[in-house]
Amino acid sequence: SVQVKNFTGPDGKPGFSLRCGDMADCYQKASELCPAGYNVIGSTSGTVGVPASGGGTIMVPNFSVQASCK
């Protein structure tokens, strides 16, 4: 799943931050949000710990992309 948060970009245009489990999902969602294209402001990748169903924590990929529509 992709989480979307809206914000105002540095140029004053609407922007958004996408958080997803796969970088391809982030870019696909950005394309849906911006049919005319988008500018990537920044991106990060890493892992995040999430609670496991049997107890404990598992590490899963975590990607985020910040972009604004053209």
Side-chain angles (χ1 to χ4, degrees), residues 2-6 15-18 26-38 67-70:
V2 178
Q3 296 176 340
V4 180
K5 291 186 179 177
N6 295 311
F16 50 88
S17 177
L18 304 173
C26 280
Y27 291 123
Q28 180 179 346
K29 187 65 174 181
S31 294
E32 291 172 14
L33 292 168
C34 300
Y38 57 90
S68 63
C69 294
K70 290 185 179 180

Side-chain angles (χ1 to χ4, degrees), residues 2-68:
V2 178
Q3 296 176 340
V4 180
K5 291 186 179 177
N6 295 311
F7 65 88
T8 301
D11 58 0
K13 293 182 179 178
F16 50 88
S17 177
L18 304 173
R19 198 169 125 196
C20 38
D22 183 287
M23 197 59 98
D25 291 342
C26 280
Y27 291 123
Q28 180 179 346
K29 187 65 174 181
S31 294
E32 291 172 14
L33 292 168
C34 300
Y38 57 90
N39 295 314
V40 174
I41 299 168
S43 64
T44 58
S45 61
T47 56
V48 62
V50 296
S53 58
T57 302
I58 57 171
M59 300 304 287
V60 297
N62 181 54
F63 300 95
S64 68
V65 173
Q66 298 78 44
S68 63

